[in-house]
């Protein structure tokens, strides 16, 4: 008598082979589904899936009874995958995508309907990206505001880890859908990202054509989990060890979320990415973040460009949120300002030479003492999304004469004999309030330095003077908003007057101590 286990072992390969030969293995990639948005012109959208090796696959795009285009390919023998690149399409729809596999005399057909062409944005990061519309200010009103946005389609990737790079997503929490109050407010930190949705809504208001939004995020995760091994190695990140940090509450093992939640999307043609992450690195590889973040951007760009057969732009727009604030004592007071600075590769602004074609939403003034989700999770995601979309309009869509970043000094002049520092800004400034602590100077004497407050003195439309007479030694540096909680809600001292964008934090070093010396914001 043959043992049952052995019988199963003999029969199972035959069953699997029979299934595949019958077309069971023929399918679209997991995220190709009804109601999806495909990337519009000038790029071509990628349609791909799995099939029987050697079979021919014909992909047809229909609108009503009209055939718009046909593309023919075959299933790769060693990967069981097929792929076509559609001709560039204007924004609009709806369309139907049909894929037909032919092997000998057998045909198998797949269809997805109500497909739109527009711009596709991927949203990723940790819990502040994962927060849903149910968790933001005025949630009831926001959840009811969906009727005008049925051409903004949403998809949410399931939180999955993997030890190796996956070809396709293991699971999807929310398959491509039209927005409803139910799928936008499914729960806390579940399904659709509020920042992603509100960002897409702003884009739709501006562009008036379909927007596709893909949320792929996981709370409490450091950047190392979202990075490929290549990019971590390039930054000299230490080999994985234990992570005994309060700031890291989600998966922290190197590359496990890149492998399972980003890499499987690489064949998709994208318009751009928005990112909200960094809190889990305030105590973990903090000093490397000025390398790991630019390296992640570069690696994602290269991977999506290659995976989409060159359809996703090589330097696609990448937006991010500079960290907000936190009342928790889990981190040193230097952790948040260090990460904020490192998020710009230590330039203080973007785009910059290390981070081309990037845009940033400053959020340090959007603090929330009373957030039921903890102060590290501020509820004003509307302003975050608004500031992000300004950057996208300027960088991704080329809108001219649009202010998308707050004022930063272009010249710092030391007037030592007058006990003053004079700051000249490249934009107009609005001094909302005088703050005698938010500016600090590094004062050195007897080979020892300490940070002292520099009170705000006089100001005009583009300049500001600081009193530095508290320093009895040499002023060697100036910094602004270099604390975890720089100001109360929308009450930082400096904003751009018309856009209400806050001045970002910075640190600048003064190397020449001669009176009248000029210094620029620099590392």
């Amino acid at each position: 008598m043959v043992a049952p286990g052995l019988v199963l072992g003999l029969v199972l390969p035959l069953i699997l082979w029979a299934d595949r030969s019958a077309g069971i293995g023929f399918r679209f990639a997991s995220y190709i589904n009804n109601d999806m948005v495909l990337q519009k012109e000038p790029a071509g959208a990628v349609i791909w899936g799995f099939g029987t090796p050697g079979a021919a696959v014909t992909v047809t795009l229909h609108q009503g009874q009209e055939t718009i285009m046909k593309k023919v390919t075959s299933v790769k023998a060693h990967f069981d995958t097929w792929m076509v690149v559609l001709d560039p399409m204007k924004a609009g729809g709806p369309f139907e995508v049909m894929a037909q596999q032919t092997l000998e005399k057998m045909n198998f057909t797949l269809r997805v309907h109500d497909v739109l062409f527009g711009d596709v944005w991927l949203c990723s990061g940790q819990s502040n990206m994962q927060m849903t519309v149910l968790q933001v200010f005025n949630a009831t009103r926001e959840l009811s505001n969906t009727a005008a946005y049925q051409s903004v389609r949403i998809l949410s990737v399931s939180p999955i880890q993997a030890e190796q790079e996956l070809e396709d997503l293991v699971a999807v929490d929310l398959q491509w859908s039209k927005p409803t109050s139910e799928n936008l407010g499914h729960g806390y930190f579940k399904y659709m990202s509020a920042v992603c949705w509100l960002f897409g809504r702003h884009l739709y208001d501006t562009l008036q054509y379909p927007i596709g939004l893909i949320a792929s995020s996981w709370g409490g995760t450091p950047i190392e989990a979202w990075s490929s091994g290549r990019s971590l190695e390039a930054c000299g990140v230490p080999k994985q060890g234990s992570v005994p940090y309060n700031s890291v509450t989600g998966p922290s093992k190197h590359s496990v979320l890149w492998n399972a939640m980003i890499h499987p999307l690489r064949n998709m043609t994208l318009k751009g990415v928005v990112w909200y992450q960094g809190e889990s690195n305030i105590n973990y590889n903090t000093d490397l973040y000025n390398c790991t973040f630019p390296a992640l951007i570069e690696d994602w760009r290269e991977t999506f460009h290659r995976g989409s057969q060159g359809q996703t732009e090589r330097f696609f727009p990448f937006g991010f949120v500079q960290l907000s604030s936190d009342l928790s004592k889990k981190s040193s007071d230097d952790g948040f300002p260090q990460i904020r600075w490192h998020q710009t590769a230590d330039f203080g602004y973007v785009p910059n030479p290390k981070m081309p074609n990037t845009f940033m939403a400053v959020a340090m003034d959007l603090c929330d003492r009373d957030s039921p989700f903890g102060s590290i999770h501020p509820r004003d995601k509307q302003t975050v999304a608004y500031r992000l979309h300004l950057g996208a309009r300027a960088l991704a869509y080329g809108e001219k004469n649009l202010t998308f970043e707050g004022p930063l000094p272009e010249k710092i002049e030391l007037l030592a004999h007058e006990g003053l520092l004079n700051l000249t800004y490249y934009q107009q400034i609005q001094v909302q309030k005088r703050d005698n602590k938010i500016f600090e100077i590094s004062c050195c004497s007897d080979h020892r330095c300490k940070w002292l407050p520099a009170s705000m003195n006089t100001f005009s439309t583009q300049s500001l003077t600081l009193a530095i007479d508290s320093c009895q030694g040499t002023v060697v540096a100036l910094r602004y908003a270099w604390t975890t909680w720089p100001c109360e809600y929308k009450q930082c001292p400096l904003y751009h007057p018309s856009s209400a964008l806050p001045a970002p934090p910075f640190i600048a070093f003064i190397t020449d101590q001669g009176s009248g010396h000029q210094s620029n914001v620099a590392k």
Side-chain angles (χ1 to χ4, degrees):
M1 181 177 178
V2 180
L6 182 58
V7 172
L8 182 62
L10 291 170
V11 173
L12 186 59
L14 298 177
I15 294 174
L16 290 175
W17 182 87
D19 282 350
R20 296 190 65 137
S21 65
I24 299 300
F26 181 54
R27 65 176 179 87
F28 287 119
S30 59
Y31 57 80
I32 295 178
N33 216 304
N34 301 331
D35 299 318
M36 76 181 302
V37 175
L38 294 172
Q39 182 58 43
K40 73 170 189 69
E41 64 178 4
V46 174
I47 303 293
W48 73 282
F50 298 85
T52 306
V57 176
T58 302
V59 176
T60 310
L61 184 69
H62 297 280
Q63 188 168 40
Q65 301 301 311
E66 182 183 1
T67 297
I68 306 300
M69 74 179 79
K70 279 190 178 183
K71 298 288 179 178
V72 180
T73 187
S74 59
V75 181
K76 294 179 182 178
H78 298 295
F79 298 99
D80 301 350
T81 60
W82 53 269
M83 178 184 292
V84 299
V85 178
L86 300 181
D87 297 336
M89 293 287 296
K90 293 183 182 298
F95 297 88
E96 179 185 78
V97 177
M98 182 178 75
Q100 186 174 60
Q101 175 179 276
T102 304
L103 185 66
E104 297 176 349
K105 295 182 179 181
M106 293 186 293
N107 293 327
F108 302 94
T109 302
L110 305 170
R111 288 184 173 88
V112 292
H113 59 79
D114 196 13
V115 174
L116 305 178
F117 285 86
D119 283 340
V120 182
W121 286 83
L122 170 62
C123 308
S124 187
Q126 55 181 113
S127 55
N128 270 305
M129 182 61 85
Q130 204 174 14
M131 285 177 71
T132 67
V133 180
L134 188 65
Q135 297 174 267
V136 305
F137 284 135
N138 303 312
T140 302
R141 185 184 70 193
E142 298 292 5
L143 288 170
S144 66
N145 188 17
T146 60
Y149 298 101
Q150 293 301 292
S151 291
V152 181
R153 306 291 173 81
I154 57 177
L155 178 147
S156 185
V157 175
S158 298
I160 301 287
Q161 305 176 61
E163 294 292 327
Q164 303 293 330
E165 292 180 342
L166 302 183
E167 288 297 303
D168 196 12
L169 297 172
V170 172
V172 172
D173 272 357
L174 177 68
Q175 193 50 267
W176 281 108
S177 303
K178 298 176 182 179
T180 67
S181 59
E182 289 76 21
N183 58 30
L184 289 175
H186 179 71
Y188 293 162
F189 303 105
K190 292 182 179 179
Y191 277 22
M192 195 57 204
S193 157
V195 168
C196 192
W197 163 250
L198 295 167
F199 169 76
R201 205 173 69 181
H202 279 302
L203 287 184
Y204 182 80
D205 286 340
T206 300
L207 302 168
Q208 291 295 301
Y209 59 69
I211 301 292
L213 302 170
I214 301 154
S216 185
S217 51
W218 195 327
T221 51
I223 195 170
E224 291 78 5
W226 297 101
S227 304
S228 72
R230 296 179 300 277
S231 60
L232 294 176
E233 185 177 351
C235 291
V237 177
K239 294 295 183 182
Q240 185 77 27
S242 60
V243 187
Y245 297 103
N246 292 328
S247 62
V248 181
T249 58
S252 63
K253 195 169 184 180
H254 290 181
S255 307
V256 291
L257 304 184
W258 158 261
N259 290 339
M261 298 176 67
I262 301 299
H263 185 266
L265 301 170
R266 73 199 181 284
N267 295 342
M268 180 184 294
T269 309
L270 294 178
K271 176 64 175 181
V273 168
V274 287
W275 170 262
Y276 196 159
Q277 189 278 335
E279 297 92 342
S280 286
N281 286 97
I282 55 175
N283 290 322
Y284 179 54
N285 288 338
T286 308
D287 292 341
L288 293 174
Y289 203 91
N290 57 359
C291 180
T292 51
F293 185 38
L296 175 143
I297 295 172
E298 167 60 20
D299 188 60
W300 285 27
R301 283 172 166 169
E302 199 276 332
T303 300
F304 276 87
H305 179 71
R306 187 177 67 247
S308 66
Q309 310 300 303
Q311 298 304 306
T312 297
E313 288 182 17
R314 176 62 181 84
F315 295 99
F316 62 74
F318 195 108
F320 64 95
V321 183
Q322 194 178 47
L323 293 191
S324 186
S325 304
D326 183 25
L327 286 173
S328 169
K329 299 302 182 183
K330 293 177 181 178
S331 65
S332 68
D333 198 46
D334 207 38
F336 268 76
Q338 285 286 356
I339 289 292
R340 291 187 192 116
W341 186 243
H342 291 339
Q343 284 180 296
T344 68
D346 300 353
F347 281 83
Y349 59 88
V350 295
N352 62 54
K354 288 188 178 180
M355 299 175 67
N357 210 27
T358 57
F359 55 95
M360 173 176 75
V362 176
M364 67 180 182
D365 67 328
L366 302 179
C367 48
D368 189 352
R369 288 181 178 273
D370 303 317
S371 173
F373 315 106
S375 62
I376 201 168
H377 297 123
R379 290 166 288 176
D380 183 359
K381 295 298 191 270
Q382 291 92 333
T383 303
V384 170
Y386 175 75
R387 291 174 180 176
L388 268 178
H389 109 282
L390 290 178
R393 283 166 59 184
L395 268 295
Y397 297 99
E399 189 170 333
K400 303 299 183 185
N401 303 316
L402 177 70
T403 300
F404 66 97
E405 53 193 355
L408 202 64
E410 64 177 353
K411 183 172 66 176
I412 300 172
E413 189 176 11
L414 177 63
L415 305 174
H417 63 287
E418 298 178 42
L420 296 173
L421 269 180
N422 187 61
L423 281 62
T424 303
Y425 286 80
Y426 75 96
Q427 292 176 307
Q428 289 190 353
I429 59 171
Q430 175 181 315
V431 178
Q432 183 162 280
K433 56 180 286 190
R434 290 178 184 269
D435 187 316
N436 292 331
K437 294 182 179 179
I438 200 164
F439 282 99
E440 297 173 289
I441 51 173
S442 179
C443 179
C444 298
S445 61
D446 298 328
H447 305 289
R448 298 185 65 181
C449 300
K450 60 180 178 179
W451 289 100
L452 299 174
S455 59
M456 296 168 61
N457 197 321
T458 60
F459 59 88
S460 64
T461 55
Q462 280 186 252
S463 66
L464 171 69
T465 60
L466 305 174
I468 59 171
D469 48 11
S470 60
C471 178
Q472 301 304 310
T474 303
V475 177
V476 298
L478 171 70
R479 66 188 188 184
Y480 173 74
W482 207 264
T483 63
T484 300
W485 193 282
C487 57
E488 293 304 317
Y489 180 75
K490 293 188 176 180
Q491 290 297 311
C492 279
L494 296 178
Y495 287 81
H496 181 267
S498 61
S499 68
L501 294 175
F506 72 83
I507 186 168
F509 295 95
I510 300 168
T511 54
D512 185 344
Q513 297 306 309
S515 183
H517 169 70
Q518 298 176 1
S519 177
N520 296 322
V521 172
K523 288 195 278 185

